[in-house]
Amino acid sequence: MKIGLLGFGKAGKAVANVILQHKDFSLEWVLKKTDTLNKLSAKDILGISASDDALIYSQNSTDIETLLEDHPVDFVIDFSNEESIHLYGKFAARKKIKIISAISHYGENEIRVLKELATDTVVFW
């Protein structure tokens, strides 16, 4: 299974570490808010030997729709922030990409969006 990861803080790095060490999963890319680590590989940052590309992209210089087209995934795991669902949600749902959102708190608007997306794809939040 191909996975895209949003967020590369403590939790995102921990999840990336697990994905990179599991032979049935492939970490295709990581999307961060900032330009720090842009175009480096998560596996190199974490010191893991893996065949996954795991390239890190910045939201500042990467269009999420282009990223999902050029580097398709089966799942998006989101450890970023509550607003990020607006960034990728509709496009991912249209492409039937499953969404795992690990955000600790959502506002009413984001909960409504997640429920709407769940009519088109699997959404776990």
Side-chain angles (χ1 to χ4, degrees), residues 22 28 34 37 40 43 57 61-62 66 95 97 104 119 123:
H22 198 289
E28 297 297 305
T34 65
L37 308 178
L40 297 175
K43 65 184 177 186
Y57 295 90
S61 58
T62 304
T66 302
K95 302 280 287 173
I97 298 169
S104 57
T119 63
V123 179

Side-chain angles (χ1 to χ4, degrees), residues 13-57:
K13 286 177 182 170
V15 169
N17 193 337
V18 170
I19 295 167
L20 286 166
Q21 294 184 55
H22 198 289
K23 64 180 174 92
D24 294 332
F25 300 113
S26 172
L27 183 59
E28 297 297 305
W29 48 262
V30 175
L31 186 64
K32 292 178 39 100
K33 191 168 192 161
T34 65
D35 289 328
T36 309
L37 308 178
N38 194 34
K39 301 295 183 175
L40 297 175
S41 176
K43 65 184 177 186
D44 295 336
I45 300 299
L46 297 171
I48 296 171
S49 177
S51 60
D52 310 30
D53 287 338
L55 287 180
I56 300 171
Y57 295 90

